[in-house]
Amino acid sequence: MKHFLDINKTAPADLRAMIDAARAMKDQRGGRPKGTPDDDQPLAGRMVALIFEKPSTRTRVSFDVGVRQMGGQTMVLSGNELQLGHGETIADTARVLSRYVDLIMIRTFEEATLLEMAQYASVPVINGLTNRSHPCQIMTDIMTFEEHRGPIAGKKVTWCGDGNNVFASFAHAAGQFGFDLTFTGPETLDPEEVFLAEARAKGSTVEIQRNPQKAVEGADLVVTDTWVSMHDPQSARERRHNQLRPYQVNEALMTHAKPDALFMHCLPAHRDEEATSAVMDGPNSVVFDEAENRLHAQKAILRWCLGV
């Protein structure tokens, strides 16, 4: 049984194999129409359940298309349809779904929901996102960086903004892939110390720098994310904007990074808030390559989980 729950819970050799497989599958498609199947159909006869307690665009479409390109079928289920943990325990839902499908991808709020699903499922479970981590996105980001700049080992990544679930997975990846990581943002939105400590224990340099200009000095990659969640009340949105405004990624900030530093944002973006349109649409931005590569990276994760 191979679950994909977090980057730090997966062996570095397996992570590297997934990145290499994703790039190979992307190359093999050779720009063919999106609706055409892959030559290889490793998921033929397989059924994948895609569970969404949280709404999604990229996760839903990329997993659905990826499974179909590889010959499989999907069943998309919302949290309301399943009433996870309400009408039936998560453990019982996991046991029942395992009798019907070959793999479960779940995008949920609480990490505990994911972990309970994986504990009781007898099929592989993939973390499509929780409030604590977003490993599929960071596998995509590693793939995208290496596509443009070669191996990420030894490079410097600077994260600007909120120490959220996406940053947490970047910290997991720093330790597993061997790159250095700097966080710049307000102290009130610092990431959990456990994420930083684990990466440092594996040999990565992980720093918190309050000055955003100093934080991006020498950076090979600058990353940000939305300042607010769709579920945040208006009062929280205003408070976050006030705290995070000094950490906006704009053209002036990018001049302090390396001249060829890439810019990433996992999308959706609130343009001219966390990052200006000039940066997002600029020559160093790879945000839409990231969006495309969710498809290829997740196809590799699916194959790894199923051993095909």
Side-chain angles (χ1 to χ4, degrees):
M1 180 71 65
K2 290 194 289 188
H3 300 304
F4 185 73
L5 303 180
D6 269 317
I7 288 174
N8 65 332
K9 296 177 181 177
T10 308
D14 289 333
L15 296 170
R16 172 50 57 192
M18 284 183 253
I19 297 291
D20 293 345
R23 294 189 64 179
M25 283 187 284
K26 183 177 181 178
D27 291 344
Q28 287 165 7
R29 285 195 61 82
R32 72 178 72 185
K34 307 301 184 295
T36 58
D38 292 354
D39 292 332
D40 190 10
Q41 295 281 277
L43 267 61
R46 306 284 186 128
M47 177 64 72
V48 176
L50 306 177
I51 301 174
F52 293 93
E53 279 200 297
K54 297 185 79 167
S56 166
T57 299
R58 274 148 296 278
T59 301
R60 176 169 179 164
V61 176
S62 56
F63 266 110
D64 200 349
V65 171
V67 171
R68 292 168 186 259
Q69 285 182 351
M70 294 190 293
Q73 297 184 65
T74 60
M75 177 183 297
V76 180
L77 301 165
S78 73
N80 289 335
E81 289 170 320
L82 294 177
Q83 295 187 339
L84 280 174
H86 301 295
E88 180 177 57
T89 67
I90 295 163
D92 285 353
T93 299
R95 292 183 179 108
V96 170
L97 285 178
S98 298
R99 300 295 181 103
Y100 302 141
V101 304
D102 299 286
L103 182 143
I104 299 167
M105 189 290 302
I106 181 169
R107 179 180 173 94
T108 188
F109 292 92
E110 300 301 326
E111 182 184 49
T113 301
L114 167 77
L115 297 179
E116 188 172 351
M117 183 71 72
Q119 180 180 354
Y120 291 97
S122 56
V123 297
V125 174
I126 293 175
N127 176 1
L129 174 142
T130 71
N131 286 350
R132 200 147 188 259
S133 65
H134 196 359
C136 290
Q137 179 62 54
I138 305 312
M139 291 293 285
T140 298
D141 293 351
I142 302 297
M143 174 189 175
T144 305
F145 181 89
E146 296 194 340
E147 204 171 46
H148 287 270
R149 296 289 186 266
I152 197 167
K155 303 296 186 180
K156 178 182 176 179
V157 176
T158 298
W159 176 277
C160 300
D162 180 7
N164 63 11
N165 54 349
V166 185
F167 175 84
S169 287
F170 253 116
H172 290 158
Q176 299 292 68
F177 286 94
F179 59 87
D180 297 328
L181 183 61
T182 297
F183 170 83
T184 186
E187 186 175 0
T188 52
L189 297 175
D190 273 355
E192 292 183 43
E193 178 59 32
V194 64
F195 299 138
L196 311 183
E198 183 178 11
R200 290 175 182 137
K202 293 178 179 178
S204 296
T205 298
V206 181
E207 301 176 334
I208 293 179
Q209 169 56 255
R210 300 298 173 202
N211 184 313
Q213 289 77 27
K214 290 183 178 179
V216 302
E217 286 179 1
D220 299 282
L221 171 61
V222 178
V223 192
T224 191
D225 194 5
T226 53
W227 288 348
V228 295
S229 166
M230 65 184 74
H231 307 287
D232 288 339
Q234 185 60 35
S235 59
R237 289 169 180 258
E238 293 173 1
R239 186 166 59 253
R240 278 175 168 265
H241 275 82
N242 291 335
Q243 293 179 81
L244 288 162
R245 195 165 287 113
Y247 300 95
Q248 181 192 67
V249 181
N250 50 42
E251 290 175 290
L253 183 66
M254 289 296 290
T255 64
H256 294 274
K258 287 184 177 178
D260 65 344
L262 296 178
F263 169 75
M264 291 188 186
H265 188 308
C266 67
L267 303 180
H270 295 91
R271 284 173 173 262
D272 299 311
E273 291 186 8
E274 65 269 12
T276 61
S277 289
V279 170
M280 289 193 63
D281 298 328
N284 292 13
S285 173
V286 291
V287 297
F288 296 109
D289 289 344
E290 279 182 272
E292 177 189 347
N293 285 341
R294 285 288 297 274
L295 171 67
H296 308 295
Q298 289 165 182
K299 285 165 73 172
I301 292 167
L302 285 160
R303 294 191 67 166
W304 178 80
C305 286
L306 290 168
V308 294

